[in-house]
Amino acid sequence: MIPNVSFVWLNLTLSFVCFVIIAGCYIFMYTVTAKTSRAVNQPTQEAKDRAQKRQEKIQRNITFIICTDFLCWIPFIIICLLHSLDVLDATPHYPIFSIIILPINAVINPLLY
């Protein structure tokens, strides 16, 4: 089956743009929280240490969220790309992605928050 190349590239572009926007929003959230955390005048070293640990936890969570989004979407993007280049017929793989792999991302995200 010959893929509709324009549809596949539109899908790939849209997926990439969405990923960049989501990653950018998470990075923005991290920078705002880091700036706010630094701006708060911590009276003691213990309070500064607690603020630093909170900031590190936020950074780990944001990194993990971006990585899980990437890992859930990259197989789909690669399959679409290979399909559009007519390297393989990915038609039988699309239901697997839409029913199993991509919803995993929706299940993982609430657990990360």
Side-chain angles (χ1 to χ4, degrees), residues 6-99:
S6 59
F7 173 76
V8 171
W9 281 101
L10 175 66
N11 192 359
L12 289 172
T13 303
L14 186 60
S15 295
F16 178 74
V17 167
C18 289
F19 175 76
V20 168
I21 290 171
I22 290 168
C25 288
Y26 280 120
I27 291 168
F28 177 73
M29 285 178 2
Y30 171 74
T31 56
V32 168
T33 58
K35 191 183 301 184
T36 303
S37 182
R38 283 191 302 270
V40 173
N41 189 9
Q42 304 294 340
T44 66
Q45 185 61 37
E46 183 181 332
K48 288 179 185 178
D49 291 342
R50 281 195 314 266
Q52 178 66 28
K53 286 182 183 184
R54 273 195 314 271
Q55 193 60 35
E56 289 171 0
K57 183 179 178 185
I58 290 170
Q59 183 180 11
R60 274 193 312 272
N61 285 348
I62 289 173
T63 302
F64 196 61
I65 289 167
I66 292 171
C67 288
T68 58
D69 284 351
F70 178 78
L71 291 174
C72 286
W73 279 95
I74 197 68
F76 177 72
I77 292 170
I78 290 171
I79 292 293
C80 286
L81 180 63
L82 293 175
H83 191 157
S84 73
L85 297 174
D86 216 10
V87 173
L88 64 89
D89 180 14
T91 307
H93 302 295
Y94 290 126
I96 294 169
F97 281 103
S98 62
I99 295 171

